[in-house]
Amino acid sequence: MTGRTPTPSPSRVLICDDQELIRMGLRMVIDSQPDLTVVGEAADGETAITGVAALEPDLVLMDVRMPGLDGLAATEHLCAQPDGPRILVVTTFDLDEYAYAALRAGANGFLVKDAPAEEILVTVRAVLRGEIMVGPSLTRRLVDRFVRQAPASVPAQRTRLAALTDRERDVLVLVAGGLTNGEIADRLFVGETTVKTHLGRILTKLGLRDRIHAVIFAYESGLIRAGD
């Protein structure tokens, strides 16, 4: 006898935004897909934290500017949990001065509020797979707006840089410049797989969580500076 392959349960999404129309639009997009389902909504960070505890979503779409507990504080709280959901920050970005801090708090990426439905779904699924969704163009904007305002490097950060090989430092500089793995491979005349290997070693040696934190570290350590 042959059995049917069980259909996997849809990924569970909690939407947190203080604007009802935004929540409604995101719900329509998410619930239109068989592999995704909205399990709850929240209008502020405190309600989002309560909702996560009760509903156990796989992903939270988190607004930043909200009354009461904002999305940054809620992100910090949820990312501190050992089995917390992944956090996708929903932002206008150009106006959102908390975006840099949200990434440092552990957010897994950004979703612009007026993004088309197709982009929303691609981003949501990528974050659910464990990817960090901050694309090259957004990385450059992040650098321009936030990372260049980072404090001066400290000796401990410069000491950590000493663990990198010359080639790993080259890769880190290019990552911080917003280049994709393919662009870095072309620049250094190596294969894309080699770039991925170097990046993995960089993250391990520096104790960093992901690519965007590597960008932040590169600036905060003084490896590169504004205008480089």
Side-chain angles (χ1 to χ4, degrees):
M1 295 179 62
T2 58
R4 294 181 178 178
T5 302
T7 302
S9 300
S11 296
R12 300 163 61 82
V13 180
L14 175 70
I15 299 172
C16 181
D17 196 293
D18 65 334
Q19 299 181 53
E20 184 177 0
L21 288 178
I22 296 294
R23 297 198 306 271
M24 184 183 304
L26 289 171
R27 176 181 280 272
M28 290 177 62
V29 172
I30 299 299
D31 277 343
S32 69
Q33 303 298 302
D35 60 327
L36 302 170
T37 184
V38 175
V39 295
E41 296 182 11
D44 57 69
E46 192 65 48
T47 307
I49 291 172
T50 302
V52 166
L55 301 171
E56 298 184 346
D58 302 299
L59 172 71
V60 177
L61 300 183
M62 182 73 77
D63 188 19
V64 175
R65 294 185 173 186
M66 294 179 290
L69 191 70
D70 64 24
L72 174 58
T75 295
E76 290 175 334
H77 178 90
L78 292 173
C79 290
Q81 305 304 310
D83 298 316
R86 300 187 71 78
I87 308 293
L88 181 56
V89 174
V90 182
T91 178
T92 52
F93 194 79
D94 284 332
L95 302 176
D96 196 338
E97 298 173 356
Y98 299 111
Y100 173 48
L103 279 175
R104 297 197 66 182
N108 304 105
F110 284 100
L111 179 65
V112 180
K113 284 189 176 183
D114 60 358
E118 182 178 354
E119 181 179 337
I120 292 173
L121 293 171
V122 167
T123 304
V124 164
R125 289 188 175 109
V127 169
L128 284 167
R129 289 195 302 269
E131 298 178 26
I132 303 299
M133 289 304 291
V134 181
S137 63
L138 193 51
T139 298
R140 294 186 183 102
R141 291 167 63 188
L142 178 69
V143 168
D144 288 340
R145 183 76 181 272
F146 298 101
V147 181
R148 291 184 178 188
Q149 300 173 13
S153 61
V154 297
Q157 292 171 320
R158 293 195 294 270
T159 299
R160 288 164 67 189
L161 278 176
L164 302 183
T165 65
D166 290 343
R167 179 46 59 96
E168 287 166 352
R169 289 167 70 101
D170 291 341
V171 170
L172 180 55
V173 167
L174 295 175
V175 167
L179 275 67
T180 65
N181 287 349
E183 290 169 337
I184 294 172
D186 291 341
R187 184 76 63 88
L188 298 179
F189 304 103
V190 298
E192 192 167 344
T193 300
T194 300
V195 174
K196 292 179 181 179
T197 299
H198 284 311
L199 182 55
R201 289 173 179 167
I202 290 167
L203 297 180
T204 298
K205 289 181 178 182
L206 297 179
L208 302 174
R209 188 173 65 89
D210 52 53
R211 187 187 195 94
I212 194 60
H213 284 80
V215 174
I216 293 169
F217 180 88
Y219 278 85
E220 291 186 338
S221 67
L223 178 61
I224 56 177
R225 301 183 184 279
D228 287 355

